Amino acid sequence: MRGWFLPLAVAFGFIFLYAPIISLVVFSFNESRLVTVWGGFSTRWYGELLRDRQILGAAWVSLQVAFASATLATIIGTLGAFVLTRFSSFTGRLLLTGMITAPLVMPEVITGLSLLLLFVSMEMTLGWPAGRGLPTIIIAHTTFCAAFVAVIAQSRLRSMDESLEEAARDLGAGPVRVFFDITLPVIAPALVAGWLLAFTLSLDDLVIASFVSGPGASTLPMVIFSKVRLGVSPDINALATIIIGFVLVAVVIAGWLMRRGMRQGE
Amino acid sequence: MSAGNALTRSAPWRGTAWVMGKLGFSGRSLVIAIPMLWLGVFFLAPFFVLGRISLAEALIARPPYTPLFDRAPDGSLQIIASLENYRFLMTDALYRNAYLSSIRVALVSTIFALLIGYPIAYYIARAPEPKRSVLLLMVILPFWTSFLLRVYAWMGFLRSNGVINNTLMSLGLIDSPIQMMQTDFAVYIGIVYTYLPFMILPLYANLTKLDGALLEAASDLGASPMVTFFTVTLPLSLPGIVAGSMLVFIPAIGEYVIPALLGGPDTLMIGRVLWDEFFSSRDWPVASAVAIVMLVLVVAPIMWLQSVQNRREEG
């Protein structure tokens, strides 16, 4: 593995990772409608994107869904993780363990189809949910994102110093107070990470949303997919470039904050 | 005043707690009940509905399947359930081929991901500190952008008049474009590209734990770097290889988006068959039967394997 082979393999790997993204960004500034033939520099696709009501509307739907389901998933995932790490035995412990880890390996097509069938049966027998749209997408995303939050919260709850909780209990705090004053502040960074992961997972999901959404509610991936299916289109390149820009800025800010935090820690 | 203190002293809280206590609910059972109920209703119950509809027949109606209970002509309640859909899945070669080819595509992609990911993980694990963090970030960075758009990027790359073909033709290496889109090759690329960090990160985590003294010992005893790698490093990194491969193989097998966008009409994958059965043929019962068979043949073994692996790690 020494010598020329390893650097060459690594260089190839990074070209593989970045070349498609770089070409995507470059061709978003292309004047020509043909995505892969250079026709001069232009920002016209960004203008068209900003006038595209369908894409802007779908982006708003996606943000609402992602915000709501990340928040709900963080609450449910944290409760699940707390129950599994702090309550040693209760009826249904095995069932809860299974239900909280299974969504991680469940193919999206199965999760989507089975949830849709549940919603349809519930509508017939209970009358709720009447039709499908934002609420059903939020429920579906909450369910699969909660599993990811639970994994993160569980590892943090396991590694934290439980004597802190014991000390608070010995000093007379009730379980609710111990949770809100000791446990929650300690695991808060992990929960922020979990919320962010759930938010991105929800923003990224196409398959589950396609199954459980109704005619009125299309998320951004659903709109992108229906456009992209017909072939490449330059305004999608522009959209991708904007998203990549957002991610880069977020990473730079996060890196700067972390560095500052570390310096203050010293 | 602390948040927990304010909460437990507030009047609404005390009132609710008192009423709950009188009704025989403890706080503990309530805390257990919330995740239990949510997942029970929205994760577990759907599978029962799925199983029940897989036994129904397709109807042109709303909903498009026969009810489980129906009134017989004499007014008695009868249960209508048939295994017809499952018999259909077993007799029609399309479905068998789709399951087999999903496993093949997932397996081939996993091997390619391992071949590309291993050198990167190895290199990052040996790199000195500031460089190591930067490289690690560079591996993860593309995967914070949208998954769909990353697959889309490859569409622009692999098309007949795409970047690769245009470059090769302008260099004079080929005369006519190579057909890359709508082939199994494009699907492999899409899957490897999408899931590569899932391969690299566990491998990296494993390789950083590797004891350098072992490598020194091997070379002191006269082993060439090649021999050292194959007799020491590779066997010791086996847990990382297994973990990374599982993380690629599991999502690849049920993949829908990648074969739909990059694959051709003959790229059979079970996720795509299920999708088409549901959205194009509108045959909900057959789609449900496909899902149930997928659960039994693919998901159940994977979950069993994972639980075995977890137990081994804990033990």
Side-chain angles (χ1 to χ4, degrees):
Chain A
M1 295 287 279
R2 300 277 149 75
W4 53 270
F5 174 74
L6 189 58
L8 200 72
V10 172
F12 171 76
F14 278 106
I15 291 173
F16 177 69
L17 281 180
Y18 279 93
I21 295 180
I22 291 168
S23 101
L24 195 70
V25 172
V26 168
F27 281 103
S28 78
F29 295 105
N30 188 5
E31 169 68 38
S32 163
R33 177 167 281 283
L34 296 165
V35 180
T36 46
V37 180
W38 187 253
F41 181 86
S42 152
T43 52
R44 75 183 254 218
W45 303 114
Y46 290 86
E48 288 207 1
L49 187 71
L50 292 177
R51 282 189 293 275
D52 191 330
R53 290 194 170 274
Q54 197 194 7
I55 286 196
L56 293 182
W60 176 234
V61 168
S62 274
L63 286 174
Q64 283 174 292
V65 168
F67 187 83
S69 37
T71 308
L72 276 171
T74 305
I75 295 170
I76 291 165
T78 308
L79 280 177
F82 182 78
V83 164
L84 286 177
T85 46
R86 293 294 186 266
F87 299 166
S88 51
S89 66
F90 57 90
T91 6
R93 191 191 151 83
L94 196 66
L95 180 71
L96 186 63
T97 315
M99 288 197 301
I100 232 161
T101 48
L104 299 173
V105 297
M106 197 57 64
E108 289 168 320
V109 279
I110 296 185
T111 313
L113 175 65
S114 61
L115 260 172
L116 168 76
L117 296 178
L118 176 84
F119 289 141
V120 171
S121 320
M122 279 171 77
E123 190 183 357
M124 286 193 312
T125 50
L126 307 173
W128 184 91
R132 288 173 297 282
L134 270 184
T136 48
I137 308 178
I138 292 172
I139 289 173
H141 281 185
T142 301
T143 308
F144 90 93
C145 291
F148 288 87
V149 176
V151 170
I152 296 176
Q154 238 175 329
S155 76
R156 186 72 194 94
L157 280 166
R158 282 219 181 91
S159 65
M160 86 173 256
D161 189 357
E162 277 184 64
S163 59
L164 289 173
E165 292 170 343
E166 269 164 44
R169 267 195 297 276
D170 289 349
L171 291 169
V176 177
R177 230 192 127 179
V178 173
F179 180 78
F180 280 100
D181 286 353
I182 308 291
T183 317
L184 202 58
V186 172
I187 65 170
L191 299 191
V192 171
W195 189 93
L196 284 172
L197 180 64
F199 188 81
T200 19
L201 285 172
S202 168
L203 269 189
D204 227 15
D205 169 68
L206 164 75
V207 173
I208 295 176
S210 298
F211 275 100
V212 300
S213 86
S218 291
T219 61
L220 190 56
M222 287 165 69
V223 172
I224 296 176
F225 185 68
S226 64
K227 278 189 167 236
V228 156
R229 241 188 160 172
L230 306 170
V232 280
S233 70
D235 50 338
I236 298 297
N237 284 44
L239 179 66
T241 306
I242 293 174
I243 293 176
I244 291 165
F246 264 119
V247 169
L248 275 180
V249 169
V251 167
V252 168
I253 292 176
W256 180 73
L257 283 177
M258 258 156 66
R259 237 200 227 159
R260 208 183 59 165
M262 274 204 286
R263 236 178 265 148
Q264 278 174 350
E266 284 163 6
Chain B
M1 195 160 51
S2 69
N5 200 4
L7 178 65
T8 49
R9 282 199 183 169
S10 69
W13 175 271
R14 289 174 145 194
T16 319
W18 185 81
V19 171
M20 284 306 190
K22 284 281 166 200
L23 287 171
F25 288 112
S26 67
R28 193 181 126 107
S29 63
L30 267 179
V31 170
I32 296 173
I34 294 170
M36 199 77 129
L37 274 177
W38 182 282
L39 292 169
V41 172
F42 295 120
F43 184 73
L44 196 60
F47 292 114
F48 291 103
V49 183
L50 191 70
R52 165 238 176 289
I53 289 174
S54 75
L55 301 174
E57 276 168 49
L59 277 185
I60 302 176
R62 279 188 66 154
Y65 49 82
T66 52
L68 184 60
F69 299 103
D70 205 3
R71 296 264 170 209
D74 61 355
S76 66
L77 205 61
Q78 55 178 197
I79 298 175
I80 308 168
S82 80
L83 292 170
E84 190 50 46
N85 297 319
Y86 291 97
R87 197 159 61 214
F88 176 62
L89 292 192
M90 284 206 278
T91 48
D92 195 324
L94 169 82
Y95 300 98
R96 195 174 42 239
N97 291 342
Y99 284 112
L100 290 176
S101 113
S102 296
I103 293 174
R104 194 196 71 233
V105 169
L107 209 60
V108 172
S109 311
T110 307
I111 292 168
F112 275 117
L114 181 63
L115 290 178
I116 297 176
Y118 199 101
I120 298 180
Y122 184 89
Y123 186 79
I124 298 177
R126 321 245 104 201
E129 192 21 79
K131 195 178 170 192
R132 182 193 278 196
S133 301
V134 172
L135 287 175
L136 211 53
L137 187 69
M138 278 180 69
V139 166
I140 306 170
L141 202 57
F143 304 92
W144 283 337
T145 66
S146 156
F147 153 69
L148 191 56
L149 293 173
R150 272 180 283 133
V151 178
Y152 169 73
W154 277 100
M155 289 176 69
F157 233 55
L158 296 174
R159 280 181 343 145
S160 297
N161 56 353
V163 175
I164 292 182
N165 273 319
N166 283 356
T167 313
L168 289 178
M169 292 218 289
S170 65
L171 289 175
L173 291 173
I174 51 169
D175 301 323
S176 55
I178 308 169
Q179 166 80 26
M180 283 180 287
M181 269 291 284
Q182 305 197 327
T183 60
D184 285 6
F185 171 71
V187 177
Y188 297 144
I189 287 201
I191 294 177
V192 171
Y193 189 69
T194 305
Y195 298 112
L196 195 57
F198 294 132
M199 180 61 89
I200 293 179
L201 293 179
L203 276 174
Y204 161 79
N206 175 280
L207 287 167
T208 42
K209 280 185 290 184
L210 189 68
D211 188 353
L214 290 172
L215 302 180
E216 263 172 53
S219 77
D220 286 352
L221 292 168
S224 69
M226 201 71 150
V227 172
T228 311
F229 175 76
F230 282 107
T231 53
V232 180
T233 312
L234 195 62
L236 281 175
S237 62
L238 209 58
I241 293 176
V242 172
S245 301
M246 295 274 276
L247 287 182
V248 177
F249 185 79
I250 292 170
I253 207 159
E255 190 55 58
Y256 165 72
V257 175
I258 296 170
L261 289 182
L262 298 178
D266 54 340
T267 312
L268 271 183
M269 284 192 78
I270 198 63
R272 199 177 172 192
V273 169
L274 192 158
W275 178 287
D276 290 341
E277 208 63 70
F278 181 82
F279 285 103
S280 308
S281 318
R282 303 211 122 262
D283 194 332
W284 294 18
V286 167
S288 306
V290 171
I292 293 283
V293 173
M294 197 169 163
L295 271 176
V296 173
L297 290 186
V298 180
V299 180
I302 286 170
M303 289 183 68
W304 176 77
L305 258 174
Q306 275 203 326
S307 73
V308 169
Q309 206 193 350
N310 286 347
R311 240 175 284 146
R312 201 182 294 153
E313 270 168 21
E314 278 162 20

